[in-house]
Amino acid sequence: MNAADRHLVKISELLGNLIQDFELDPDEDLLSSGKLTSLTSMNLIVAMEDSFGITIPNNELNRTNFTSLRSLAHLVHRMSNIGLDKN
């Protein structure tokens, strides 16, 4: 399992803690389906930052990055790599 897949699984677990009866579909549009509300999004951001040890800058808080589990996993992967580049 590669890093992006591990991120996807972890984000799915985090969402499962925030959304009742959450089912994993990596490509489902979480915003259009109503599963990801503004409050849930904010809670998810905090959970992802804590779980992955990253900071998600304001310019990354957009619909493109929060559309699906897969897009969230790519966001975490990019932010994780940025953190590695600073060392």
Side-chain angles (χ1 to χ4, degrees):
M1 182 182 298
N2 64 33
D5 289 338
R6 286 191 301 275
H7 293 151
L8 194 137
V9 170
K10 181 61 179 174
I11 294 166
S12 178
E13 291 172 6
L14 294 172
L15 275 171
N17 292 332
L18 298 171
I19 301 172
Q20 194 171 34
D21 300 323
F22 179 76
E23 293 182 20
L24 174 64
D25 177 351
D27 298 308
E28 178 181 10
D29 189 325
L30 298 170
L31 299 168
S32 294
S33 70
K35 290 182 178 177
L36 197 59
T37 65
S38 57
L39 180 59
T40 305
S41 297
M42 293 309 298
N43 288 330
L44 179 60
I45 291 164
V46 171
M48 289 191 310
E49 289 181 336
D50 289 346
S51 293
F52 296 107
I54 60 172
T55 299
I56 301 172
N58 289 340
N59 66 320
E60 295 290 349
L61 303 177
N62 58 59
R63 189 181 205 309
T64 301
N65 287 331
F66 283 77
T67 299
S68 67
L69 283 172
R70 193 172 310 281
S71 64
L72 287 165
H74 288 295
L75 171 64
V76 168
H77 186 71
R78 282 195 333 273
M79 295 301 101
S80 297
N81 287 336
I82 287 171
L84 292 175
D85 292 342
K86 290 182 180 179
N87 293 329

